[in-house]
PDB file of all heavy atoms in Angstrom:
ATOM      1  N   GLY A  19      -1.252  -0.739  13.715  1.00  0.00           N
ATOM      2  CA  GLY A  19      -1.647  -2.060  13.234  1.00  0.00           C
ATOM      3  C   GLY A  19      -3.114  -2.211  12.868  1.00  0.00           C
ATOM      4  O   GLY A  19      -3.521  -3.257  12.386  1.00  0.00           O
ATOM      5  N   ASN A  20      -3.915  -1.176  13.123  1.00  0.00           N
ATOM      6  CA  ASN A  20      -5.331  -1.265  12.765  1.00  0.00           C
ATOM      7  C   ASN A  20      -5.671  -0.291  11.638  1.00  0.00           C
ATOM      8  O   ASN A  20      -5.136   0.813  11.599  1.00  0.00           O
ATOM      9  CB  ASN A  20      -6.212  -0.920  13.973  1.00  0.00           C
ATOM     10  CG  ASN A  20      -6.423  -2.109  14.883  1.00  0.00           C
ATOM     11  OD1 ASN A  20      -5.795  -3.150  14.706  1.00  0.00           O
ATOM     12  ND2 ASN A  20      -7.303  -1.963  15.838  1.00  0.00           N
ATOM     13  N   PRO A  21      -6.589  -0.672  10.735  1.00  0.00           N
ATOM     14  CA  PRO A  21      -7.027   0.285   9.712  1.00  0.00           C
ATOM     15  C   PRO A  21      -7.933   1.338  10.355  1.00  0.00           C
ATOM     16  O   PRO A  21      -8.804   1.003  11.154  1.00  0.00           O
ATOM     17  CB  PRO A  21      -7.825  -0.596   8.742  1.00  0.00           C
ATOM     18  CG  PRO A  21      -8.307  -1.744   9.569  1.00  0.00           C
ATOM     19  CD  PRO A  21      -7.276  -1.961  10.638  1.00  0.00           C
ATOM     20  N   CYS A  22      -7.679   2.613  10.016  1.00  0.00           N
ATOM     21  CA  CYS A  22      -8.441   3.719  10.598  1.00  0.00           C
ATOM     22  C   CYS A  22      -8.872   4.657   9.482  1.00  0.00           C
ATOM     23  O   CYS A  22      -8.265   4.707   8.424  1.00  0.00           O
ATOM     24  CB  CYS A  22      -7.570   4.512  11.574  1.00  0.00           C
ATOM     25  SG  CYS A  22      -7.144   3.585  13.040  1.00  0.00           S
ATOM     26  N   SER A  23      -9.917   5.399   9.743  1.00  0.00           N
ATOM     27  CA  SER A  23     -10.409   6.360   8.767  1.00  0.00           C
ATOM     28  C   SER A  23     -10.291   7.765   9.369  1.00  0.00           C
ATOM     29  O   SER A  23     -10.593   7.960  10.547  1.00  0.00           O
ATOM     30  CB  SER A  23     -11.870   6.028   8.463  1.00  0.00           C
ATOM     31  OG  SER A  23     -12.419   6.994   7.620  1.00  0.00           O
ATOM     32  N   ILE A  24      -9.839   8.751   8.572  1.00  0.00           N
ATOM     33  CA  ILE A  24      -9.711  10.116   9.080  1.00  0.00           C
ATOM     34  C   ILE A  24     -11.094  10.751   9.194  1.00  0.00           C
ATOM     35  O   ILE A  24     -11.856  10.772   8.230  1.00  0.00           O
ATOM     36  CB  ILE A  24      -8.810  10.980   8.162  1.00  0.00           C
ATOM     37  CG1 ILE A  24      -7.371  10.462   8.221  1.00  0.00           C
ATOM     38  CG2 ILE A  24      -8.860  12.457   8.575  1.00  0.00           C
ATOM     39  CD1 ILE A  24      -6.392  11.274   7.384  1.00  0.00           C
ATOM     40  N   VAL A  25     -11.412  11.241  10.383  1.00  0.00           N
ATOM     41  CA  VAL A  25     -12.696  11.894  10.621  1.00  0.00           C
ATOM     42  C   VAL A  25     -12.522  13.405  10.520  1.00  0.00           C
ATOM     43  O   VAL A  25     -13.380  14.122  10.036  1.00  0.00           O
ATOM     44  CB  VAL A  25     -13.237  11.528  12.029  1.00  0.00           C
ATOM     45  CG1 VAL A  25     -14.551  12.235  12.300  1.00  0.00           C
ATOM     46  CG2 VAL A  25     -13.397  10.018  12.164  1.00  0.00           C
ATOM     47  N   ASN A  26     -11.384  13.893  10.999  1.00  0.00           N
ATOM     48  CA  ASN A  26     -11.146  15.334  10.998  1.00  0.00           C
ATOM     49  C   ASN A  26      -9.640  15.581  10.989  1.00  0.00           C
ATOM     50  O   ASN A  26      -8.898  14.950  11.722  1.00  0.00           O
ATOM     51  CB  ASN A  26     -11.786  15.952  12.252  1.00  0.00           C
ATOM     52  CG  ASN A  26     -11.676  17.465  12.257  1.00  0.00           C
ATOM     53  OD1 ASN A  26     -11.783  18.100  11.214  1.00  0.00           O
ATOM     54  ND2 ASN A  26     -11.431  18.043  13.416  1.00  0.00           N
ATOM     55  N   ASN A  27      -9.203  16.495  10.129  1.00  0.00           N
ATOM     56  CA  ASN A  27      -7.775  16.783   9.991  1.00  0.00           C
ATOM     57  C   ASN A  27      -7.568  18.276  10.211  1.00  0.00           C
ATOM     58  O   ASN A  27      -8.007  19.090   9.409  1.00  0.00           O
ATOM     59  CB  ASN A  27      -7.327  16.383   8.583  1.00  0.00           C
ATOM     60  CG  ASN A  27      -5.918  16.836   8.265  1.00  0.00           C
ATOM     61  OD1 ASN A  27      -5.046  16.828   9.132  1.00  0.00           O
ATOM     62  ND2 ASN A  27      -5.680  17.245   7.033  1.00  0.00           N
TER      63      ASN A  27
END
Side-chain angles (χ1 to χ4, degrees):
Chain A
N20 276 8
C22 292
S23 175
I24 293 182
V25 178
N26 185 37
N27 171 37

